[in-house]
Amino acid sequence: MDANLTKQVSNVLIECQKIKPGMTRAELLKVFTTEGGISNAQHRTYIYGRCPCIKVDVDFNLSNPQQNVLEERLTDTISKISKPYLDWSILD
């Protein structure tokens, strides 16, 4: 077993678990960044800022009922976030 790798992965999981429903898109973007691929303001896949192979899928409540579904706002709030998972990067 690689104790150093285990510690690094543990630290990443702890940081990812700090992002919870009710937090804003702005708060999420302090830890994650957007990934390419199909998305809209209500659902997007994000990659961990330090490693593009670590991802989460996030659903949002839009901050304004009249908001266009393609208009992502920093004030949108997280309604659901997946557990972190590993996957190859999507480039587009």
Side-chain angles (χ1 to χ4, degrees):
M1 180 180 353
D2 184 332
N4 186 42
L5 177 59
T6 301
K7 178 70 172 162
Q8 289 177 5
V9 171
S10 177
N11 288 339
V12 169
L13 290 173
I14 289 167
E15 188 172 12
C16 291
Q17 289 175 338
K18 292 179 182 177
I19 306 300
K20 305 262 188 217
M23 296 176 82
T24 64
R25 190 182 306 266
E27 292 170 304
L28 172 77
L29 289 171
K30 292 177 183 176
V31 178
F32 292 91
T33 189
T34 57
E35 181 180 45
I38 297 172
S39 67
N40 62 49
Q42 293 177 308
H43 180 81
R44 178 181 274 280
T45 297
Y46 287 84
I47 55 175
Y48 182 63
R50 295 177 48 213
C51 178
C53 294
I54 301 171
K55 303 179 181 196
V56 290
D57 297 320
V58 184
D59 292 339
F60 292 93
N61 293 317
L62 302 182
S63 36
N64 183 329
Q66 285 79 38
Q67 185 173 331
N68 183 312
V69 74
L70 298 177
E71 181 188 355
E72 296 181 11
R73 295 184 183 179
L74 295 176
T75 53
D76 295 339
T77 56
I78 298 169
S79 62
K80 182 179 177 185
I81 184 167
S82 71
K83 290 184 178 186
Y85 63 93
L86 300 176
D87 199 2
W88 300 111
S89 293
I90 295 177
L91 303 172
D92 54 32

